[in-house]
Each structure stands twice: as structure tokens, then as C-alpha cells.
Amino acid sequence: MARDVNDEHVISSRDELVGWFEAGCKPNGPFRIGTEHEKIPFFRIDDRPVPYGGRGDCACGIGSLLNALRAAQGWEPIEDEGVLIGLYDPVGGGAISLEPGGQFELSGAPFGNTHETAAELDAHFAALAPAAQSCGIGFLDLGMSPMWRRAETPVMPKQRYGIMARYMPKVGSLGLDMMFRTSTVQTNIDFASEADMVEKMRLGLSLQPLITALFANSPFTDGKPNGFLSMRSLIWTDTDAARTGMLPFAFQPGMGFEAYVDYALDVPLYFVKRGDVYHDVAGASFRDLLAGKLAALPGERATMSDWANHLSTIFPEVRLKRYIEMRGADVGPKSHILALTAFCAGLFYDAQVSAAAWDLVKHWNDEDRAALRSSVPREGLAAKAAGVSLLDLARKILPMIREGLERRSRLDASGRSEAIYLAPLEEIAASGENLASSRLALYHGAWSGDIKRAFVDCVY
């Protein structure tokens, strides 16, 4: 999330929380799609991580990149205790933000089609290139930093990350790796109504392991293969069980905005923001804040900004806000970032595709979905549910999505539909080899076991 919300309206009832989600419904459209991606920066001269303020032999750092982009694009600054930590486009709605270890994120604006997302991506890299080149900074297109230990990874100057870093080891063994060493891409989609939200949440949760398998791209840790195709995905299984996972309640009768509100209310808080100060209340109850009984802040009552900020600290495989976030993919090259956008546009915005895809997975139960989630980080497309492999599922669903995108008929200047962006996924489905598999083959082949080759071959 690029910036935390400021809305001082005091919440008077649970119904207001339900209403907050209901305000996201778009019964008359237009349905848009937005894509967020993170990328890991490094110094090209020695393949080392990039601190915020640079280092002894190089004054350039993450802060330098932000300042250069601010000058080039004219976006509004986002600051934390007077330090520039992000940028915001007040016109288009896009933003630049920093993840805890310096992962450089573009939170894309909502667009009508993947072609527009592609143009946004090109513009972002074009604006970033001059500063990155002058500073000697490159960006990895891997889902996890492949060489540096956690202790070697820089820490960005954001108050909320300090709170999270202190709390994470109390609730999981890999939360700090998630914060500082992983990199993802996600696509956000709209819903028309509460019923439409439920259908999309269920379909998205069911197919999230397939997306993880198709986009798996984090097979290296600490300079060598880690034994997984998506280590990033594995890390999430031991981060914080209270705020992660496959949301079994979403498949139960009665699923709706109220059910998600009750789930979110039971997720522990990280912080309460008052003015420019983030108060560390990690582990406390949002229900206590609602009632004005939070021990750390006596008498403080929950505001709408507290609610929006709290929702940004919940990390299930599919997350509900005033739109739905598909969160299960490792980041990859630009072609794969756009492939996720197109995949989601075709899956969720064509009724025939949504119905046909649901027919393929609706018989799965909680155990089937949990088994897939558990096995996909290591097995990738070979993972199975109810006797069907994710590779077989990909080969059935991708042609449906292609047809759906052709029916959507969102054409570029050359008359091509969004289906052109599916090519990387179709190649993976044909070969059975995802990015992780192909890069492991490079490691054991052309790289001769030298992980530094990733800083040449796995970059934007």
C-alpha cells in the first residue's frame, strides 16, 4: 500500500464497516483492472543491495531514485517523519512505494484493459531508467533476492515496517523474509455486487495455487537453489497464520461483506496512526479500538482510516478491499506482469469463462484447496487436487481465457486483443516449465552454479 489513509470519521457501528465494503460495488461498471509489481534493486558494480541513502562509495540510493522520479513525473510526495518514502499521481491514481527491504513498487492505476497497463509499465520504466543508469542500479525480476542474507538486506525508513519487524518473529519464523526478501505482482479487480464479490473471491481462492504455479519464480536463496519453485509462496505459510491463508470461511453459506468484516475484526492490529505517528499496538484487538478500550491508547476510538489501514495489514491469498486483490504470484519479467493482468481480465470479466472455470473447481473442498496451497511452492504445476494436476488445469483454463479476451475485444492500435499477453503462460502450459524451472536449468547449466549470473540474466 503506497500510503496510509487519513479519514478521521469515528466508526459508530459494525454496520459502517460493512458499508465501507459495499461502497466498492460497481453495479453499472465500468470494471477496471489494476496491477502492482515489486522489483528488487541492486548495484550493478558488485550485485549488492541498495540502501535508502546510498553507501560510502556511492551517494545514490533508493531515496535518489524517488527524488529523480518526483522531478521527472511531477507526482506528489509521500513522506514518513519528513522522509520521502513514495510518490502519488493525483490524476491517474498510480503510486510508487517502498517495501521493507527496498523493493521498488509501482502500484498501477486502474485501467480498462491490459494494453493501458502495458503503456503504464513502459512509461514507468522509461521514467526510472535515467536515474537508475546514472546511479548504476539495476532491478531483479525474481520473486526473491537470490544471494543476500536477510541481515545484509537494507531497511527502509517507514514507521510501520519497524512495528511489523518487531512483531513478525512472535507469530512465524519466516515473516521477516517475507518483508525484506520477497517480491510479488498482483492484479486487482472490481465487483458489481456482494454476490459477485463472493463468486469472484471463491473462484480466485480456488485458482490462486494455479497462478502461483504458473508464475513461480523464486527458486534461489542465499546463493543457491532452495528446493522450491516458489520460495516466496512457501514463506507466506509461516508468516502469521492469523492474517494469511486460503480463507475457508469464504466457501461457507452466508459468505458476504459481514463475514469478511468479522474475519478482519479478529485479525490483530499492527499499529494505530494518529497524525504522523504510528503507535505500536501489535497484537491488540481492533474490537477494543472500536469500543474505545485499547489499553495502549485509552479512550481512542476507531476511525475509518484505522479500518482501511488495518485491512492493508491482512495478507490472505486473495484480499478484499473495495476491490479484490489476487496476491499469489511471484514477480517476473514485464511480459509476465502483463500476463497476470490479462489472465485476470479474461477470467473474471467474461461470464462464460468464470462459469466454465468454476465448473472445473467447484467440487474441491477445503482439504483439496489446502493441499494445493501446501504443495504448490515445491511442486508447482505438478501439484494435484482431486487427481487433477495444475498443469492439466492450466491447459484447460488458458484456452478459455483466450476466448474470453477475444470476446472482450479490447483492441490495441494494431487491432489485437488482450489475448496477446497470454503468450508466456501458454508457453509454460505447453512445456510444463515455469520460470523457476527454466532458471534452475540455467543455474545447473550455463551458469555453472554461479548465482551472480542471475544479476545479468534475471533483470529488467
Side-chain angles (χ1 to χ4, degrees):
M1 190 175 186
R3 57 178 184 167
D4 292 316
V5 175
N6 285 301
D7 180 345
E8 297 180 358
H9 171 77
V10 175
I11 300 166
S12 61
S13 71
R14 175 175 167 276
D15 289 345
E16 287 190 66
L17 305 181
V18 175
W20 188 93
F21 284 115
E22 288 176 337
C25 293
K26 293 186 174 179
N28 300 313
F31 281 179
R32 296 183 178 179
I33 195 156
T35 300
E36 307 178 23
H37 84 274
E38 304 160 1
K39 48 196 171 292
I40 298 169
F42 66 95
F43 284 117
R44 291 185 181 275
I45 192 170
D46 57 7
D47 306 329
R48 302 304 299 163
V50 182
Y52 182 87
R55 63 186 192 187
D57 62 343
C58 182
C60 287
I62 300 296
S64 306
L65 296 180
L66 286 174
N67 276 299
L69 276 179
R70 180 182 179 186
Q73 297 179 298
W75 288 10
E76 297 293 326
I78 304 170
E79 296 183 342
D80 190 333
E81 296 186 309
V83 177
L84 184 65
I85 59 164
L87 301 168
Y88 177 71
D89 178 5
V91 178
I96 304 291
S97 60
L98 304 179
E99 292 300 305
Q103 303 96 314
F104 211 79
E105 178 176 359
L106 171 65
S107 297
F111 289 115
N113 59 67
T114 312
H115 305 303
E116 293 174 316
T117 297
E120 176 191 52
L121 202 59
D122 288 342
H124 167 69
F125 278 99
L128 185 58
Q133 290 170 2
S134 67
C135 287
I137 292 173
F139 295 92
L140 291 167
D141 67 7
L142 290 162
M144 184 171 185
S145 58
M147 186 171 70
W148 319 314
R149 297 187 305 275
R150 187 197 301 164
E152 298 175 277
T153 304
V155 178
M156 295 299 105
K158 295 178 70 169
Q159 294 178 71
R160 65 183 281 163
Y161 293 159
I163 293 169
M164 292 172 64
R166 290 190 292 271
Y167 182 70
M168 285 291 183
K170 300 176 182 179
V171 291
S173 67
L174 298 177
L176 294 178
D177 288 302
M178 177 278 292
M179 291 180 64
F180 293 102
R181 300 210 283 177
T182 65
S183 197
T184 187
V185 56
Q186 72 177 51
T187 295
N188 307 324
I189 59 169
D190 287 322
F191 48 84
S193 63
E194 183 175 40
D196 186 43
M197 177 277 293
V198 172
E199 291 179 1
K200 285 174 175 170
M201 286 286 289
R202 288 173 174 170
L203 180 60
L205 285 162
S206 298
L207 292 182
Q208 195 61 272
L210 172 62
I211 290 173
T212 299
L214 285 169
F215 290 86
N217 186 32
S218 49
F220 308 114
T221 307
D222 297 337
K224 59 185 184 297
N226 53 40
F228 295 87
L229 298 173
S230 179
M231 184 67 181
R232 185 206 61 83
S233 181
L234 177 78
I235 284 169
W236 277 110
T237 66
D238 193 6
T239 289
D240 183 347
R243 67 185 74 239
T244 60
M246 293 287 284
L247 306 184
F249 74 88
F251 296 87
Q252 296 174 2
M255 169 58 183
F257 294 133
E258 288 192 37
Y260 200 89
V261 164
D262 289 336
Y263 158 71
L265 285 173
D266 288 332
V267 174
L269 285 161
Y270 280 151
F271 61 83
V272 174
K273 186 174 185 283
R274 290 293 180 266
D276 294 330
V277 177
Y278 288 72
H279 296 274
D280 185 347
V281 298
S285 167
F286 198 97
R287 295 182 190 275
D288 286 347
L289 183 60
L290 272 177
K293 297 179 180 179
L294 197 63
L297 296 169
E300 283 292 331
R301 299 290 299 274
T303 66
M304 278 301 179
S305 58
D306 293 327
W307 180 239
N309 293 337
H310 178 57
L311 293 174
S312 77
T313 69
I314 299 173
F315 309 120
E317 293 293 292
V318 178
R319 180 163 68 184
L320 179 63
K321 291 183 179 175
R322 284 176 167 166
Y323 45 85
I324 294 170
E325 298 178 344
M326 297 294 292
R327 296 172 40 81
D330 292 357
V331 80
K334 284 192 274 187
S335 60
H336 288 66
I337 293 172
L338 296 172
L340 180 62
T341 311
F343 183 100
C344 291
L347 177 66
F348 292 107
Y349 289 165
D350 183 275
Q352 288 179 241
V353 176
S354 296
W358 178 243
D359 281 342
L360 294 174
V361 299
K362 65 183 180 183
H363 61 285
W364 291 353
N365 56 32
D366 289 345
E367 291 72 24
D368 293 327
R369 288 184 290 270
L372 270 181
R373 176 66 186 88
S374 177
S375 59
V376 74
R378 185 185 296 274
E379 298 180 19
L381 290 163
K384 292 183 177 182
V388 176
S389 73
L390 290 178
L391 180 58
D392 290 338
L393 187 61
R395 289 171 174 170
K396 292 176 181 177
I397 284 181
L398 283 169
M400 297 177 187
I401 291 176
R402 173 170 281 278
E403 291 176 6
L405 292 173
E406 295 287 2
R407 280 193 297 270
R408 250 170 73 85
S409 195
R410 305 295 200 272
L411 307 181
D412 67 6
S414 300
R416 300 175 301 175
S417 79
E418 296 163 285
I420 61 173
Y421 301 105
L422 292 179
L425 303 184
E426 291 169 336
E427 291 172 10
I428 289 169
S431 68
E433 299 291 314
N434 54 27
L435 272 174
S437 300
S438 63
R439 287 169 167 182
L440 282 167
L442 282 172
Y443 177 87
H444 293 292
W447 295 0
S448 300
D450 181 5
I451 197 63
K452 278 182 165 285
R453 291 289 298 277
F455 293 85
V456 176
D457 293 345
C458 303
V459 298
Y460 292 99

